[in-house]
Amino acid sequence: MFPLWLRLYLSRDKSRTLRPKSLRVWKPIPAQHRSFCSHFLHYFLSHCPQNEVFSEEEGAEDVMATGELNPNHYPAQRAAKVVQHYLTTRYGSPYRLFGLQRVHSGNAEDVGDSGRKYQLEIAVHEIISNTTQKCSAEVFFPHGQKQESPQVQASCEELLNISTKAQEEALYQQYKMNQTLISAQNLPDSHGHIEPDTKPLWHLGIVASSFIMLKESNENTLYNMAQVANITQLATENDQLKFDCHTLLHDMVSQVNTHNYELLDALENGRKSKLFP
Amino acid sequence: MRGLLAFAALLVAVIAKESFEGHQVLRIIPKNDIQLSLIKELEDMIHFELDFWRELSGVNTPVDVRVPFHSLQSVKIYLETQGIEYSVMIEDLQMMLDEEQKEMMSAAHAPKPRNTDSFDYANYHTISEIYSFQDMLVAENPNLVSKTVIGQSFEGRPLNVLKFSTGGTNRPAIWIDTGIHSREWVTQASGTWFAKKIVTDHRRDPSLTAILDNMDIFLETVTNPDGYSYTHSTNRLWRKTRKPNPGSRCVGVDPNRNWDAGFGGPGASNDPCSQIYRGPRAESESEVKSIVDFVKSHGNIKAFISIHSYSQLLLYPYGYTRTPVRDRPELDRLARKATTDLASLYGTRYTFGSIINTIYQASGGSIDWAYNQGIKFSYTFELRDTGRFGFMLPANQIIPTAQETWLALMTIMDYTLKNPY
């Protein structure tokens, strides 16, 4: 049974991995639309996301280790981070968030030409209850022409034992019953500060971003969410909550920050509002 | 004639200062297409002088509009009779602006610290506050601290290095830099704390006293001042320098890909728009060249430590090649000890190893260059955290981060002192 709030925008389909029902996601503006960006997005941002290019063509050494991995080195660490994102998409909520505590062991093997499979023993930290769980996970990175999301399987000891249902229900009621629609910017702010009553929104942003970070991950990335630039509740006519999110993701390897726009729930007509005339 | 002039002056005075007294900002939410078109019609009613802050997008998506006082009644009646839902976001815009003004004024007039004891180490500071701090520290400790300007940033800001010395001539020295990547705010903040720590502990802590009896410490806190200033004024996540790149709309060079170590090889980018753009040539950035010149002309630097965030790592060379450094076993042992000592304070776990094995391949990095200059104890720190807050580390973690990092620094400096080469 999913926590209530997750039910609001996710639906389970028959396949193993969850597909968010109406989590529409816009990719960062690709290079060819840069001029669009510089006019439109300029009103949002103090600068346009630069054309982020990690030049693979420089002959980057791509010697990926196979066999037993050093758990502290980057190949195992990057795969383990993917597991963190996966767990957050599956089990995350405003009251349940995961961090990678430690990699105990890792193993990698090529699967023919189709990709590489990692087996990991990791310790996962549930941040809000401050508890640590051991997990066994398998991450498969497909090697195709274009980016394909990794496939993850994970089994953890007692990940859902901490019940967050009551808090989630209370939050849902609070947001639903509010006279004004809640909105917050810059979570955290430049000084790392987050107002206590906007923390659940920050957590929401992390969960939403985790879908994208999971999708965009490969063996040459290490994603974290840098900031929720803006999260705004939108009115709905039904029981669902709807949020408009603009988040900034940071990739440690290319050092790139990508802007991502997520609408948690149904899209009306797919157009973004301009914030300034 | 004079009357006309007076009138004109009055007119100008009135127009110049626009008042938003009584203006309200309404949030309107169209529920269906009919309401959408009704709001569109409202837009066309010029006499209302409406100012749309957030324009029409679609059904159920808010529209924010500033309504001048004289139109308020009419607009509200219009909305109400049409059954269009709205709420008052800002009740009196002028009042809100006045409040904001007051706040800004009081922040600007916030009492400046009169000495380094009243400096707020648990907060992030602007470049001018840090530079003032440096001058105060020197003034308070003239027998221990001096300031050298080793060069200028691209935009002409001084590159300040604090020298901690109890005398001697060209003693073997330790180099520490923070803030080469401007968005890594906990590093400049820690650098400020380290400076104060040194003067506080000198003659109180035996280990530090022993170090300073025989060696000098050089500390550059704001290694990329243009970038740092930019993170305050414009873009909190700016990393590079602020030098424009000819022929490109993108600004800046990654100062930690600009050193002459493996320059041009994999682990950096040739694209000026990249966050890891290496620059047109090695040492093209004055921020880098100034340190190179300083270190070379000093000639007696024995440890070179560059401090970054985030990831909680202690790294030794190389980043540009998988070939291990000759001193790998010793550097590895020392890193193990330093990270153990770091963890002893708050349990913060650090990983250690060579750059290329532990984090990624990176060419043109500072410690690779330093090592190749013969500076054996070359290390890079990546401070807190591991991604939860990342660059936006809460200010209340500055001091704990600085404290634990200092333990590791002391371990390295102590070892350097006791193992001359």
Side-chain angles (χ1 to χ4, degrees), chain A residues 5-261:
Chain A
W5 86 280
L6 263 184
R7 229 197 294 146
L8 300 176
Y9 71 90
L10 293 177
S11 66
R12 201 168 208 181
D13 64 2
K14 301 295 184 285
S15 64
R16 227 173 355 162
T17 54
L18 270 177
R19 286 272 160 265
K21 168 168 95 175
S22 40
L23 177 69
R24 261 283 286 278
V25 150
W26 283 293
K27 287 198 151 126
I29 307 291
Q32 57 267 35
H33 296 136
R34 223 178 299 159
S35 57
F36 164 75
C37 160
S38 57
H39 291 112
F40 182 68
L41 275 180
H42 187 70
Y43 291 114
F44 278 93
L45 314 159
S46 52
H47 80 296
C48 273
Q50 298 187 344
N51 178 21
E52 329 288 14
V53 172
F54 181 63
S55 42
E56 299 280 7
E57 76 275 7
E58 306 269 337
E61 274 190 47
D62 198 10
V63 180
M64 285 296 179
T66 46
E68 199 180 323
L69 303 173
N70 183 317
N72 293 323
H73 289 178
Y74 69 76
Q77 289 287 323
R78 289 178 195 173
K81 184 65 91 167
V82 172
V83 179
Q84 176 197 311
H85 297 321
Y86 167 79
L87 291 174
T88 308
T89 61
R90 264 199 91 121
Y91 305 106
S93 87
Y95 298 101
R96 190 185 291 123
L97 283 178
F98 302 104
L100 174 64
Q101 178 99 294
R102 197 172 164 173
V103 179
H104 291 295
S105 68
N107 205 288
E109 65 184 35
D110 286 320
V111 180
D113 279 340
S114 65
R116 186 174 294 121
K117 185 170 77 172
Y118 289 73
Q119 275 153 334
L120 305 162
E121 299 292 324
I122 65 176
V124 160
H125 181 224
E126 200 291 289
I127 293 168
I128 295 160
S129 64
N130 195 17
T131 53
T132 306
Q133 309 282 357
K134 279 217 170 91
C135 296
S136 298
E138 220 173 73
V139 182
F140 175 71
F141 291 108
H143 291 166
Q145 286 285 48
K146 22 172 253 171
Q147 166 73 16
E148 274 176 68
S149 25
Q151 290 160 34
V152 185
Q153 286 180 72
S155 77
C156 305
E157 289 170 340
E158 309 147 350
L159 222 39
L160 292 182
N161 267 7
I162 319 112
S163 177
T164 52
K165 261 180 94 167
Q167 293 157 295
E168 286 158 13
E169 176 67 43
L171 190 72
Y172 169 78
Q173 292 299 334
Q174 183 197 325
Y175 286 166
K176 206 64 200 154
M177 297 306 150
N178 247 354
Q179 296 284 52
T180 50
L181 297 166
I182 194 161
S183 172
Q185 290 77 42
N186 295 336
L187 310 173
D189 68 14
S190 288
H191 293 218
H193 178 70
I194 302 171
E195 282 297 305
D197 61 348
T198 59
K199 266 216 165 108
L201 293 173
W202 178 49
H203 296 162
L204 250 174
I206 293 172
V207 178
S209 305
S210 297
F211 283 92
I212 304 172
M213 294 193 285
L214 175 62
K215 187 162 162 291
E216 297 297 321
S217 286
N218 57 50
E219 288 159 293
N220 294 313
T221 61
L222 186 74
Y223 281 110
N224 290 293
M225 185 187 84
Q227 192 189 50
V228 176
N230 191 314
I231 179 165
T232 303
Q233 184 186 5
L234 303 175
T236 57
E237 278 163 1
N238 51 27
D239 279 343
Q240 287 177 318
L241 289 179
K242 186 158 86 175
F243 295 93
D244 180 2
C245 302
H246 171 195
T247 58
L248 290 166
L249 306 182
H250 173 239
D251 170 33
M252 185 61 72
V253 181
S254 64
Q255 290 295 337
V256 161
N257 287 100
T258 53
H259 295 266
N260 285 273
Y261 302 87

Side-chain angles (χ1 to χ4, degrees), chain B residues 380-397:
Chain B
T380 286
F381 279 81
E382 292 277 358
L383 303 185
R384 291 193 193 180
D385 60 10
T386 55
R388 181 155 194 239
F389 289 96
F391 301 118
M392 258 77 120
L393 195 71
N396 61 18
Q397 288 197 44

Side-chain angles (χ1 to χ4, degrees), chain B residues 140 190 248 310:
Chain B
E140 291 164 17
S190 294
S248 171
Y310 59 92

Side-chain angles (χ1 to χ4, degrees), chain B residues 83-251:
Chain B
I84 299 176
E85 201 183 294
Y86 72 91
S87 55
V88 180
M89 260 175 52
I90 301 174
E91 278 208 41
D92 186 331
L93 186 57
Q94 189 57 47
M95 243 176 54
M96 195 194 80
L97 292 173
D98 291 337
E99 274 302 316
E100 257 184 27
Q101 261 292 87
K102 261 200 306 196
E103 260 189 70
M104 275 172 31
M105 300 279 289
S106 69
H109 289 141
K112 291 194 170 73
R114 263 177 289 123
N115 52 47
T116 62
D117 284 326
S118 52
F119 186 86
D120 186 3
Y121 296 94
N123 236 316
Y124 295 108
H125 291 275
T126 62
I127 193 175
S128 64
E129 286 165 355
I130 296 178
Y131 279 11
S132 298
F133 162 85
Q134 291 173 336
D135 290 336
M136 278 193 298
L137 194 72
V138 169
E140 291 164 17
N141 303 275
N143 294 328
L144 183 59
V145 196
S146 60
K147 183 178 86 174
T148 313
V149 182
I150 62 169
Q152 277 195 336
S153 70
F154 172 73
E155 289 175 346
R157 293 182 174 84
L159 300 170
N160 291 341
V161 172
L162 291 180
K163 175 184 182 183
F164 300 85
S165 175
T166 58
T169 312
N170 197 236
R171 282 178 174 172
I174 293 159
W175 167 273
I176 303 172
D177 63 78
T178 56
I180 198 170
H181 287 140
S182 36
R183 61 188 177 190
E184 299 164 6
W185 278 18
V186 72
T187 70
Q188 297 97 334
S190 294
T192 309
W193 187 91
F194 298 151
K196 180 62 172 172
K197 180 68 170 167
I198 294 171
V199 311
T200 307
D201 274 10
H202 180 236
R203 297 225 194 97
R204 287 197 185 84
D205 175 68
S207 302
L208 181 68
T209 308
I211 291 167
L212 285 171
D213 278 344
N214 299 284
M215 301 179 81
D216 296 337
I217 300 174
F218 291 101
L219 174 63
E220 185 175 6
T221 304
V222 190
T223 306
N224 178 4
D226 296 348
Y228 192 58
S229 174
Y230 198 69
T231 59
H232 282 276
S233 66
T234 313
N235 181 355
R236 174 63 178 82
L237 289 173
W238 189 260
R239 167 184 167 90
K240 303 189 283 182
T241 62
R242 286 297 300 163
K243 190 200 276 173
N245 295 300
S248 171
R249 67 180 179 89
C250 296
V251 174

